[in-house]
Structure formats: C-alpha cells, structure tokens
Amino acid sequence: MAGSSSQSTTASGWNQSRPERVDPRKHRWQGARRGAGRTRAPGGGRRRLRFLLSASAAVGLLALFTYGLLFAPVKTPLVIIAPADFAYPVPPTAWIGEDVQRLKQLDGKTFRVVDASPAWTSKQTGLDEVDRLWKSFTGFRGNDGVAVVYVALPGLVTEDGTPAMLLPGMSAWSPAEWLPLRELLDHLSAGDADLEKVVLLDCRRAAADWNLGLVADTFVDRVEQLVAAYGNPRLHVITASSAGQDAWASAELRGSAFGRAAAEALAGASDRAVEPHKIGNRNRRVSLRELHRYVAQRVDAWARANRGASQTPRLFSTTAENADFRIAWSLDASSLRQMAEE
C-alpha cells in the first residue's frame, strides 16, 4: 500500500507464504517522540541545589557585613590619663596599674580604649595629646556622641582655692608648676561642642597627707565649685569620693574600690544590677545615672564593710538632676562574670 510507513516484502525464509514487515528506519532516534531519548546527567539536581545554597549564603554574609558597617554599635572612646612614676614625697597611686589594665579589657568590646599616660611627661605634651585625640573625636556620633576620660593624678588645691593636679617630675611645693583642673577641662571641651564628656576623677587617695602638708582635703569641694562655675552642660565629672573621705585601695580587690567599680559599671554591671537597690533597667545600655549609682553604692558598701568608713563617689553636672544619656552598650552576662573573676 502506497501510504504505508512500512513495506511488505516476500521473505526469503522457510515459510515463503508469510510476509515479513521491514521497518525502513535505520536509526533508533528516527520517528521517536521529541525528548524521548534525552537523559539527565547524574547529580545535576544536586549541583544546582548546592549552587543555590552557596549563593544564598554569600548574599546573607554580604547583608550581615553591610549591617555591621552601617548599623552596628560604635565603640565609645575611653581615654586613660594615669602616669605612675612619681617621686617622694608624692605617695604612689596604689594598684593603679591593675585599675588601668581592667579598663583596657574593654578595648575592642564596647569601648575604644586609648592609654594616653605615656604622653604626660609634662603639662604641654599631655595637653597636646588630648588635643590630638579630641580632633579624632570631632563629629563622633557613636553611642549618642560620648567620650569618657579616666584621670588618676594626685589632686591638690592652691592657696587661692584652685583645684590642680601633679604630674611626674613636678614639685609638690611649687603650685605654679601644677596642672589646673580647669586647664584640662578647657582642652576637653574644645572641638565638638555637642560631645558629652564624662570625666572620672580618681585624684585623692588620702584625705590628709602630712608629707605634703595636707591637713584637710578640700579638693572635691573645689571640683564641685569649678564644674558649677564652668557651666558646660556637656561636662559631667564623677569623683572617687566625697569631700574629706579617703579613696581606698586593697590587695583583696587587686585595685582601688573606685577603679574596680568604675570598670565593672562601664562594662555593663551597672545596667544589670537591680539589687539591693534599683540601679539599672537592663536595657543593655550603660547610662550616666546608672554609672554613678553603681559606683556610689558599690564603693560605699565595700568601704563600710571592709574599712569601717564611708566613701561615696559624687557626680557633678550642670544638667538637670534627671538628665541622662547612654554611654556605651553593655557586655553579656558571661563576659561580665569573667571580668568580675579576674
């Protein structure tokens, strides 16, 4: 039949009466359905899945990196001014090395710690270093625009009632050489007028010192008067004790009571502490008021229990009593426990 797709021929086999149907197609693919002969390479689906997972992971890491650059908390600057090489009759600042080291443990975590102590070989070199650091903080807006300064220098008062500090190499009998506190505050207040300055003054370890002719200490009283007259609403000064009180240090603490409490408070213990009195609100942020409440309560409690005396750090500021701002982020609980054990 002409329209047939196959031809009938006479078979040459033993049964000549039975026709044999011969398919003229020579290849298996001829006449097959489209795609019927295609096969998938083994493992192709797995390769595509791995590619999709790798691409998704790369996009996620890129997004996390971008978030870290744009939105991650910025570390608050913490400047340390604590030279230790004083000569007689100036008493050594007990355990100052340990206090400084404890503050340095915060570096790279919630603070960017700069130890400026080596620059304070003279008044001019020290103030120049402050100016250099403050220029680097100009326009700084991490953590609401705050910088913290820890100052551990022997504090004295001149005959005219000016609070001042001694530097290594200065004579304790020559007030003209001393560094007036106001001069340091002037340099700290220069530059960015909106930068909040928190100054921790650990400047009087003894309320009286006969070797220095110090019968009654009025340093803290003069600091209070200076801050009030200074009138800078961005300046906040916390002293290690109240007027007429000793600022204690102890081998048991491996540091000073104020220095240890200040480091713990800045690390975040002040935000987490709620007992025995309300101190923090546990919002993972350390504020000015939390910092002061923590050092005031912890230092005084330790002094009363171990020295039978009171030591109450004071906060001096021209802002309203309830004014507050964030200083830094708080470390997690495990990091705080590790720091407390050291």
Side-chain angles (χ1 to χ4, degrees):
M1 186 177 294
S4 175
S5 61
S6 62
Q7 297 178 355
S8 296
T9 61
T10 302
S12 58
W14 61 272
N15 188 2
Q16 297 182 3
S17 62
R18 182 178 178 182
E20 182 180 2
R21 302 184 67 84
V22 179
D23 191 343
R25 293 174 295 187
K26 298 180 180 180
H27 303 286
R28 295 177 60 184
W29 56 266
Q30 290 179 323
R33 290 184 306 164
R34 182 174 297 179
R38 298 177 182 175
T39 58
R40 294 183 179 180
R46 289 193 295 272
R47 282 197 297 270
R48 282 193 293 271
L49 179 59
R50 286 196 296 268
F51 174 77
L52 290 175
L53 291 176
S54 300
S56 300
V59 172
L61 290 174
L62 179 61
L64 186 62
F65 177 73
T66 304
Y67 174 84
L69 290 178
L70 299 178
F71 303 106
V74 181
K75 299 174 182 61
T76 302
L78 170 56
V79 179
I80 299 173
I81 303 174
D85 46 345
F86 291 93
Y88 182 85
V90 181
T93 308
W95 297 97
I96 187 59
E98 288 74 11
D99 286 344
V100 169
Q101 188 59 38
R102 195 168 286 112
L103 290 172
K104 286 184 176 181
Q105 291 179 8
L106 301 175
D107 186 39
K109 298 175 182 177
T110 53
F111 285 88
R112 179 158 55 98
V113 181
V114 180
D115 188 358
S117 303
W120 284 87
T121 55
S122 70
K123 183 191 305 186
Q124 190 59 51
T125 58
L127 293 176
D128 288 344
E129 178 67 4
V130 168
D131 292 340
R132 186 189 69 81
L133 291 173
W134 245 235
K135 286 181 181 179
S136 68
F137 301 155
T138 300
F140 186 81
R141 285 296 171 267
N143 290 317
D144 298 330
V146 182
V148 180
V149 184
Y150 174 78
V151 182
L153 293 170
L156 297 171
V157 178
T158 63
E159 292 182 357
D160 62 356
T162 300
M165 297 171 293
L166 283 177
L167 295 177
M170 287 184 175
S171 170
W173 316 114
S174 180
E177 298 180 12
W178 301 349
L179 171 65
L181 177 59
R182 185 182 186 95
E183 189 171 351
L184 175 61
L185 297 182
D186 286 341
H187 284 259
L188 295 179
S189 299
D192 192 347
D194 294 328
L195 186 70
E196 300 281 359
K197 279 78 65 175
V198 180
V199 182
L200 306 176
L201 281 184
D202 193 0
C203 293
R204 281 309 313 154
R205 292 294 177 94
D209 190 329
W210 289 98
N211 290 326
L212 295 177
L214 182 64
V215 179
D217 180 28
T218 61
F219 181 79
V220 176
D221 288 328
R222 300 302 183 180
V223 171
E224 181 179 13
Q225 296 171 6
L226 173 61
V227 174
Y230 204 79
N232 185 346
R234 304 293 186 185
L235 176 65
H236 318 274
V237 178
I238 298 178
T239 58
S241 63
S242 297
Q245 296 177 345
D246 289 330
W248 298 99
S250 168
E252 301 167 352
L253 295 174
R254 295 189 58 82
S256 67
F258 177 74
R260 186 179 185 92
E264 293 174 352
L266 291 172
S270 57
D271 175 63
R272 299 183 63 84
V274 293
E275 297 293 341
H277 305 287
K278 176 68 175 178
I279 296 177
N281 56 11
R282 296 197 171 187
N283 66 348
R284 299 196 64 188
R285 295 165 177 83
V286 177
S287 72
L288 174 67
R289 302 294 167 176
E290 288 175 343
L291 168 62
H292 175 242
R293 285 195 295 265
Y294 185 90
V295 297
Q297 294 183 16
R298 293 306 171 96
V299 170
D300 194 53
W302 185 90
R304 289 177 182 274
N306 294 275
R307 295 295 184 268
S310 182
Q311 179 186 342
T312 310
R314 296 285 307 277
L315 169 62
F316 302 121
S317 177
T318 58
T319 58
E321 184 65 26
N322 59 353
D324 204 0
F325 55 85
R326 182 181 66 193
I327 294 177
W329 293 88
S330 171
L331 294 177
D332 56 66
S334 61
S335 298
L336 289 173
R337 284 194 298 270
Q338 180 181 359
M339 184 174 178
E341 292 171 357
E342 295 178 352

